[in-house]
Amino acid sequence: MQTLQFLLSRLAKGILVVLAIVVLDFVLIHLAPGDPASVMAGESGATDEAFVQQLRVKFGLDQPFTTQLGLYIWGVVRLDLGFSHRQQMPVLDLVLDRLPATLLLTGAAFVFSLTVGVVMGAWAAAHKGRPLDRIITTVSLVFYATPLFWMALMAVLIFSVWLDWLPAFGLYDVGGNATLGERALDVARHLVLPAVTLGLFFTAVYVRMTRASMIEVARQDFVKTLRAKGLSERVILRRHVLRNAVLPVVTLAGVQAGQMVGGAVMTETVFAWPGIGRLMYEALIQRDYNLLLGVFVVSAAMVVVFNILTDLVYRMVDPRIEVSR
Amino acid sequence: MKKKLLGTLATSLLLACSLPGLAAAEPKEGGRANVVVQPEPPGLMLGILQNAPTQMVAGNIYEGLLRYDEKLNPKPQLATSWTISDDGKTYTFKLQKGVKWHDGKPFTAADVVFTADVFLRKTNPRTRASLAYVDTITAPDDETVVFQLKQPFGPFIRMFEVGTMPIVPKHIYEGTDFQANPANNTPIGTGPFKFAEWVKGSYIKLVKNPDYYEKGKPHLDEIYWHVIPDAAARAVAFETGKVDILPGGSVENFDVPRLAKTKNACITDKGWEFLAPQSWLWFNHRGGLTADVRFRKAVSYAIDRDFAREALWNGMGKVSTGPFADSTAFRDEKVLVNYSYDPAKAKALLKEMGYKGEPVRFTPMPYGETWMRWAEAIKQNLEDVGIKVDMITTDVAGWNKKLGDWDFDLSTTFLYQYGDPALGVSRAYVSSNIAKGSPFNNVGGYSNPEVDKLFADGAVAFPDSARQTIYSAVQKKLSDDAVYAWLIDLKFPTLTHCNVKNLITTGIGVNDGFKDAWIE
Amino acid sequence: MKAFWSRFRRHKAAVAGLVVVLLVVAIAIAAPYFYPVSPWKMVQRPFLPPFANPAVPLGTDTLGRNVASGLAYGARVSLLIGTVSTLVALAVGVPIGALAGYFGGVVDDVLMRFTEFFQTVPSFALAIVLVAIFQPSLFSIIIAIAIVGWPPVARLVRGEVMAQRQREYVEAAILAGQSHLTIITRQILPNVVSPIVVLASLMVASAILLESSLSFLGLGDPSIMSWGYMIGAARTVVRQAWWLSVFPGVAILISVLALNLVGEGLAEALDPRSSRDQA
């Protein structure tokens, strides 16, 4: 019951946050130089002021700024994210079209990085100061410090061009009449490289967080007590230290899970993955205001959801912390 | 086995494997062409959208009345024959018989009249400008269209390619709001391929038009246009065989020589003769240093174009010597000032004008790595002769805005010349095209009544010898004034796997549809 | 201070890290002495491989510019962007997180709503938009990186402080009548400093990487040579000229590694309990 109440209050606050973000983004985007009309006019190669003005009127850009903002918010409240004049489609359709691909990619990357990160981090902490620890921390650092696009390109070179094991880009092979099972397998094969590449960066973060946190917790008094009680080191580490150490990692992970949705721009670009990260970047480049705002609103909603989930996990991991104030 | 070493790419590779028209073998039917389209087009309605990716894909769906060969001579398409009256004012086209729109409705002269007189006048500013010379457009019968001009307009015969005047279906668009017509999402044309499917962010699928009026064509069953946003990934897609055709500009120039040497790769720089893209450096003539002809000349002398051609454009294209690109009609080399690389001359000119190191704002065109590297090289060239340059970068939308608002001193750019000075050259120099809002107007603000008059006269002079005299005079004037610093007449090489045959058969290249192409 | 230094010195790796960091700083300062001509100057033929010509030991790039010179000048920019943006992010994030975690209730609500507000926008997109609006320059890039960098700090500090807040020693300090400010700065923050330091050292690195991503999208400051710019520009020629991305990449890697080692050394040397352990 308490949990439900907590959920509802968080949800209400989340909606307010999303609305506030709509305002901020709306202002920011309209501050940027250029607008959709000038971009579309520019692309057509030759044009005149009258043509640009005609587009502006059509897109509603000639109205006062506050009117535009008001109309937009009214739309968002009714779950209407407007119309992309460039793509000639409703924004919501465009975003929902792309969302599954991103969720699949980030979900896979998230599970991969959190599992590998926590396991490796714990392993390193258990061997603190010994060669295994050094190897794990160094390798994770290398992954962290290598630019994502470089790593992605190398992965493609090795596994697609030279070894020819995995496809280099796209969500699935186009054409042909694949059965559902074949299609799923095909998507899974296409998923490996982008998910691992995207995940490796975050893996490195979780390795370091877990390790630091484990070492921190292992020094606390209650661990000494447990040791004095005669519990085996293995049990202490697994049952007690890890459980406490995972807390800051979960904090970070919850935050990043939401961020990943928007942060997958690079990965989606390099692997031609048809997700919303790329959609957002293209909308930004084209000053497709409505589409860009739509992506922001949807990914903001994602972050809110992930934050609530994080707090729920928090409550489960550490019941001492009161979250539902 | 060692790969064959090739000298300069431009010469040997082009000779090695680009003999499109001469394929003796019998075309093979069927198969799929996998092509890269970059960036993803905003839509495919060619009558409304004129950007490059739209033209490339939709050139298969829509057709113009004519096509043009590498020498820019007109060839039949929807029109089988045409006559121009002796006074140069009446153009009569006989249309193909038995042509059907993709939805099965018959194509008639009424569609052509509707397209030229109603649709494009409203949606296409460039076509609208040229149609200003047209008095009436009529259809005496279903298979004949007559354009009656107010006065002779020499370049008019070059206006009928698919990008400039794509014929659109009257029965779908008449009486509707063209831009908002839902049919724009399922384009209907007369072309060799029909629109089938568009998975946004992934691919566009076109399928063979079985009722195409040219019997036996097209040869391909389907075309997939793949959307791959990263240049390096596009190169990999070509290497791994996922795509067979990389149209010009779809991979970075630095990658072209490497890809051209991979197995089964063929390269050609043909298919750009009609568009004739020319790059130059805009000067803002409205004030400051760039309003001083000595400064403009100094900049023109300071830039090392040969270096840029070798280092950035793989030795392809030609160094520009004046405002008319190499394949544009009426170009006259003899009247031009020679602005080849001469830093000493540049320094002397700067000294003469008393230049004291005031900075100029350089806002380069942000069209990818090659263009940014080029901007850096130009900036360095200018600093080498003592000019202080503040480089201002922004994304494409920001650049459009800055240029469209005339907020710059120097900027790189390139424009298509469409084969004729009246269609593609004059727009950057005449004062009537000084208008805010687009980076492709006369944003430099060059305004010279003499030049305005020459361009106006040149457009309507008759016959061609009269035009030549006028255009020679205008080239001399522009060159003497160093109006802009002309850089390179560009070529964007097309890379294909060698089993793709007969892809480029006209001076418009891949934008002209794949009706002759086949895969071995 | 002396005691701290002697504790720090015990970590050989940390000392090695510090040496590397100082070396990079030295190179950054001395760049104009080694290479008096601008790193943008085209000095040799393009794509000259490394070790082929002693004048350009690390080869030349796509335009024939000296890679070694670019690395030296790039050290200045990358270090500046990394450290300044991280400091700004910490200056904003730590107080907000600490106050929220310590006081809880309405304060926590308001501050966390504020944090979420910034965090709910995809950070990379926010950075791009900010840089695009204010035009790419050193200043706008640093500010953009700091703005997207502080919320995770605040979240982390809040979580940590919240956990510490429940501990007996805080209750004891409150009972002893210490002011909230004293408790936060003297009692709690020293106990959460190690995750903050670890995060900060990673943030310096991610700032450098974020700058490279912005450069890669054409939103770098066009008049400064940074490692990020070099990698971004080398991206399309990775296949032909490995050295163009590997050298700046290794430069970033070494700097990040060194910063991390220093960070760990600091964490342990600053941690009152670890000194107890070792005493």
Side-chain angles (χ1 to χ4, degrees):
Chain A
M1 203 55 231
Q2 219 189 339
T3 310
L4 186 70
Q5 219 176 14
F6 157 76
L7 264 181
L8 286 177
S9 85
R10 283 304 308 268
L11 213 56
K13 285 175 192 164
I15 289 171
L16 281 180
V17 169
V18 171
L19 281 181
I21 280 170
V22 169
V23 178
L24 174 80
D25 289 343
F26 197 90
V27 173
L28 271 181
I29 290 167
H30 283 77
L31 277 175
D35 64 26
S38 70
V39 172
M40 284 177 74
E43 275 176 351
S44 66
T47 184
D48 45 34
E49 185 111 22
F51 181 66
V52 180
Q53 199 50 40
Q54 185 191 328
L55 287 178
R56 289 215 172 96
V57 173
K58 189 162 175 285
F59 300 169
L61 296 169
D62 56 328
Q63 305 203 27
F65 179 74
T66 43
T67 313
Q68 291 185 43
L69 177 60
L71 282 175
Y72 189 77
I73 291 179
W74 174 232
V76 171
V77 171
R78 289 171 301 143
L79 289 182
D80 172 9
L81 297 181
F83 192 79
S84 164
H85 296 290
R86 188 189 169 80
Q87 309 248 15
Q88 295 288 314
M89 270 171 90
V91 168
L92 196 61
D93 292 2
L94 281 168
V95 175
L96 291 184
D97 242 20
R98 299 286 193 94
L99 194 58
T102 294
L103 288 180
L104 181 65
L105 173 63
T106 50
F110 182 72
V111 171
F112 169 81
S113 59
L114 196 61
T115 327
V116 177
V118 168
V119 169
M120 287 290 154
W123 208 17
H127 294 80
K128 191 193 167 207
R130 275 177 269 164
L132 185 68
D133 176 30
R134 293 257 175 272
I135 292 171
I136 292 176
T137 40
T138 314
V139 168
S140 74
L141 204 55
V142 169
F143 283 130
Y144 184 89
T146 315
L148 190 68
F149 55 79
W150 199 77
M151 202 146 59
L153 205 53
M154 287 300 125
V156 168
L157 259 190
I158 295 169
F159 296 104
S160 301
V161 179
W162 293 340
L163 297 177
D164 197 17
W165 287 352
L166 292 166
F169 69 91
L171 180 57
Y172 52 82
D173 276 328
V174 296
N177 301 315
T179 65
L180 202 62
E182 284 166 0
R183 187 42 64 88
L185 195 70
D186 191 33
V187 170
R189 272 165 43 82
H190 281 79
L191 183 61
V192 176
L193 283 183
V196 170
T197 316
L198 178 64
L200 275 177
F201 176 83
F202 292 98
T203 308
V205 178
Y206 300 144
V207 166
R208 301 191 58 76
M209 288 299 296
T210 310
R211 181 180 172 278
S213 187
M214 289 257 308
I215 291 168
E216 180 84 28
V217 173
R219 279 202 301 250
Q220 282 173 11
D221 293 338
F222 82 94
V223 179
K224 283 180 192 149
T225 319
L226 290 174
R227 221 171 256 145
K229 275 189 191 162
L231 265 71
S232 81
E233 199 66 15
R234 174 173 288 224
V235 173
I236 293 176
L237 275 181
R238 280 204 192 154
R239 302 280 298 273
H240 301 278
V241 177
L242 186 59
R243 186 159 179 271
N244 280 282
V246 132
L247 196 62
V249 180
V250 168
T251 315
L252 199 69
V255 169
Q256 282 174 344
Q259 285 285 328
M260 264 193 197
V261 173
V265 185
M266 287 283 179
T267 319
E268 290 182 2
T269 303
V270 173
F271 291 100
W273 193 263
I276 64 168
R278 234 175 84 198
L279 187 68
M280 176 208 71
Y281 178 63
E282 282 158 12
L284 182 73
I285 289 298
Q286 292 149 357
R287 300 289 188 275
D288 192 339
Y289 292 162
N290 287 348
L291 182 55
L292 182 56
L293 278 167
V295 177
F296 275 168
V297 169
V298 171
S299 51
M302 287 291 168
V303 177
V304 169
V305 170
F306 276 111
N307 282 353
I308 295 175
L309 288 178
T310 311
D311 279 344
L312 278 179
V313 176
Y314 236 87
R315 287 159 66 94
M316 285 178 343
V317 177
D318 193 347
R320 281 173 306 164
I321 294 175
E322 332 144 28
V323 199
S324 66
R325 264 180 303 258
Chain B
M1 199 194 127
K2 258 195 230 163
K3 275 178 193 156
K4 216 197 308 176
L5 269 179
L6 296 163
T8 47
L9 184 88
T11 49
S12 40
L13 275 177
L14 294 179
L15 282 175
C17 44
S18 68
L19 302 166
L22 303 176
E26 202 47 26
K28 193 164 153 266
E29 299 301 315
R32 178 214 292 182
N34 289 292
V35 198
V36 156
V37 59
Q38 170 58 29
E40 184 164 21
L44 293 176
M45 206 303 157
L46 193 49
I48 293 172
L49 300 160
Q50 287 93 43
N51 59 74
T54 299
Q55 289 197 18
M56 199 183 290
V57 178
N60 288 290
I61 301 170
Y62 294 97
E63 291 181 313
L65 293 183
L66 303 174
R67 310 172 102 191
Y68 300 89
D69 68 13
E70 289 144 49
K71 300 271 178 252
L72 312 190
N73 298 314
K75 289 164 62 175
Q77 180 75 49
L78 280 173
T80 49
S81 66
W82 54 96
T83 53
I84 306 171
S85 63
D86 289 340
D87 62 357
K89 281 160 68 171
T90 310
Y91 287 66
T92 309
F93 293 87
K94 282 280 170 204
L95 303 183
Q96 277 277 1
K97 289 182 187 138
V99 179
K100 283 198 169 67
W101 292 101
H102 292 163
D103 59 1
K105 297 266 180 0
F107 157 85
T108 69
D111 291 308
V112 180
V113 174
F114 170 76
T115 298
D117 218 18
V118 182
F119 194 95
L120 293 177
R121 274 193 205 271
K122 190 162 165 120
T123 59
N124 188 329
R126 189 164 55 79
T127 311
R128 183 198 308 148
S130 298
L131 287 174
Y133 295 97
V134 177
D135 191 19
T136 60
I137 305 170
T138 48
D141 60 63
D142 270 359
E143 284 150 24
T144 313
V145 179
V146 179
F147 290 79
Q148 185 65 48
L149 274 58
K150 295 170 189 159
Q151 60 200 109
F153 181 53
F156 196 64
I157 192 62
R158 301 218 170 92
M159 281 214 32
F160 299 93
E161 56 101 18
V162 60
T164 309
M165 201 186 285
I167 306 303
V168 303
K170 181 181 179 185
H171 65 277
I172 290 179
Y173 286 97
E174 191 175 33
T176 66
D177 175 355
F178 303 151
Q179 316 258 4
N181 194 321
N184 293 343
N185 291 328
T186 50
I188 299 287
T190 57
F193 293 90
K194 295 165 122 167
F195 174 78
E197 185 189 15
W198 186 348
V199 179
K200 295 252 165 155
S202 292
Y203 62 86
I204 300 168
K205 181 186 179 186
L206 306 183
V207 294
K208 179 176 185 162
N209 174 6
D211 304 321
Y212 193 60
Y213 55 90
E214 277 184 57
K215 289 300 157 225
K217 285 181 184 171
H219 305 298
L220 296 166
D221 281 340
E222 52 188 11
I223 308 175
Y224 276 84
W225 299 86
H226 298 266
V227 178
I228 308 171
D230 182 61
R234 291 193 287 276
V236 167
F238 182 74
E239 280 176 90
T240 54
K242 289 274 179 192
V243 304
D244 300 313
I245 300 166
L246 294 173
S250 50
V251 292
E252 291 293 345
N253 282 348
F254 304 111
D255 238 359
V256 169
R258 185 179 66 79
L259 289 174
K261 281 179 229 166
T262 55
K263 212 170 130 240
N264 192 28
C266 279
I267 183 170
T268 174
D269 67 352
K270 289 194 189 311
W272 289 95
E273 295 83 3
F274 186 84
L275 293 178
Q278 186 185 47
S279 57
W280 67 75
L281 200 61
W282 288 114
F283 292 119
N284 194 332
H285 285 257
R286 294 175 185 82
L289 292 164
T290 44
D292 187 323
V293 65
R294 290 168 297 184
F295 186 80
R296 296 198 301 267
K297 284 190 174 171
V299 170
S300 300
Y301 283 120
I303 295 171
D304 189 349
R305 297 167 179 81
D306 286 306
F307 171 80
R309 184 174 165 272
E310 285 304 320
L312 294 162
W313 294 97
N314 299 314
M316 291 191 181
K318 285 213 162 99
V319 165
S320 306
T321 50
F324 286 36
D326 190 51
S327 60
T328 301
F330 308 111
R331 182 167 173 275
D332 188 352
E333 185 91 36
K334 298 185 293 295
V335 300
L336 302 171
V337 181
N338 178 6
Y339 288 114
S340 46
Y341 184 50
D342 192 343
K345 234 178 199 162
K347 280 181 190 159
L349 280 162
L350 290 172
K351 202 169 167 197
E352 183 195 322
M353 66 179 279
Y355 176 71
K356 285 193 244 2
E358 304 92 325
V360 282
R361 291 168 304 156
F362 179 22
T363 314
M365 182 169 67
Y367 275 19
E369 295 296 311
T370 304
W371 288 93
M372 289 318 291
R373 294 296 90 71
W374 200 0
E376 289 158 19
I378 289 171
K379 178 184 186 219
Q380 194 58 43
N381 279 157
L382 298 184
E383 291 191 335
D384 285 347
V385 299
I387 299 173
K388 169 124 179 42
V389 181
D390 284 342
M391 189 123 106
I392 295 163
T393 54
T394 164
D395 61 3
V396 174
W399 180 80
N400 283 349
K401 175 91 181 139
K402 279 200 177 302
L403 273 274
D405 283 349
W406 309 335
D407 179 17
F408 71 100
D409 292 328
L410 299 174
S411 175
T412 39
T413 196
F414 78 95
L415 251 71
Y416 294 151
Q417 299 205 333
Y418 299 101
D420 193 286
L423 297 180
V425 179
S426 61
R427 56 181 168 151
Y429 304 94
V430 295
S431 60
S432 58
N433 204 26
I434 300 178
K436 284 198 179 185
S438 162
F440 302 114
N441 292 333
N442 178 2
V443 298
Y446 178 69
S447 172
N448 182 335
E450 195 188 331
V451 168
D452 286 353
K453 181 158 184 345
L454 286 169
F455 271 121
D457 292 348
V460 297
F462 189 76
D464 279 356
S465 57
R467 298 190 74 198
Q468 181 66 62
T469 317
I470 295 169
Y471 283 126
S472 290
V474 84
Q475 286 176 77
K476 178 166 188 342
K477 183 68 199 148
L478 295 175
S479 183
D480 287 346
D481 258 3
V483 175
Y484 305 124
W486 302 285
L487 297 171
I488 294 177
D489 301 341
L490 302 170
K491 297 269 187 186
F492 303 110
T494 305
L495 276 160
T496 63
H497 287 137
C498 295
N499 53 345
V500 178
K501 306 285 184 195
N502 252 359
L503 178 66
I504 291 172
T505 52
T506 71
I508 300 163
V510 285
N511 286 7
D512 220 1
F514 288 12
K515 73 172 177 184
D516 297 313
W518 52 281
I519 289 179
E520 197 164 39
Chain C
M1 191 60 214
K2 217 169 191 172
F4 161 75
W5 173 240
S6 76
R7 282 202 300 271
F8 183 82
R9 222 172 39 187
R10 266 180 235 149
H11 303 276
K12 291 212 175 60
V15 175
L18 187 64
V19 170
V20 173
V21 171
L22 290 177
L23 198 70
V24 175
V25 173
I27 290 173
I29 293 171
Y33 298 98
F34 291 125
Y35 298 104
V37 298
S38 154
W40 297 97
K41 175 113 180 137
M42 296 161 277
V43 291
Q44 259 289 345
R45 75 175 172 81
F47 291 118
L48 196 67
F51 319 119
N53 180 334
V56 280
L58 299 182
T60 63
D61 73 356
T62 47
L63 289 178
R65 299 176 296 210
N66 189 343
V67 173
S69 163
L71 280 184
Y73 281 90
R76 307 179 135 200
V77 178
S78 296
L79 284 185
L80 189 73
I81 288 175
T83 48
V84 175
S85 62
T86 302
L87 287 178
V88 175
L90 288 179
V92 178
V94 171
I96 288 181
L99 291 178
Y102 182 82
F103 289 107
V106 180
V107 178
D108 181 34
D109 249 10
V110 171
L111 290 176
M112 279 305 106
R113 243 25 82 202
F114 184 66
T115 310
E116 265 176 40
F117 185 81
F118 273 89
Q119 231 177 346
T120 317
V121 192
S123 63
F124 189 49
L126 184 60
I128 297 174
V129 172
L130 286 170
V131 174
I133 295 168
F134 299 113
Q135 280 211 2
S137 72
L138 198 57
F139 181 75
S140 70
I141 291 168
I142 286 175
I143 294 301
I145 294 176
I147 286 179
V148 301
W150 74 263
V153 180
R155 301 270 308 190
L156 176 79
V157 172
R158 170 187 177 259
E160 293 285 309
V161 169
M162 232 181 187
Q164 295 290 329
R165 183 73 172 79
Q166 316 285 325
R167 295 270 154 76
E168 290 84 358
Y169 75 92
V170 178
E171 301 291 330
I174 293 174
L175 287 177
Q178 294 187 19
S179 76
H180 292 311
L181 187 69
T182 316
I183 297 174
I184 293 175
T185 52
R186 295 276 166 78
Q187 304 284 349
I188 297 182
L189 281 184
N191 281 304
V192 301
V193 86
S194 74
I196 297 178
V197 169
V198 172
L199 183 64
S201 61
L202 289 172
M203 276 168 66
V204 173
S206 71
I208 294 174
L209 292 173
L210 190 54
E211 193 268 337
S212 92
S213 301
L214 288 171
S215 281
F216 151 79
L217 294 174
L219 289 171
D221 183 332
S223 41
I224 52 171
M225 178 74 80
S226 72
W227 293 340
Y229 162 82
M230 293 175 77
I231 297 186
R235 174 183 144 274
T236 52
V237 289
V238 168
R239 306 282 294 279
Q240 305 70 328
W242 57 269
W243 63 93
L244 292 184
S245 46
V246 165
F247 289 136
V250 168
I252 291 179
L253 181 62
I254 289 176
S255 310
V256 173
L257 193 67
L259 281 165
N260 270 270
L261 294 173
V262 172
E264 262 162 47
L266 281 176
E268 307 229 340
L270 286 171
D271 189 337
R273 274 163 303 153
S274 79
S275 62
R276 222 181 302 134
D277 287 352
Q278 282 157 357

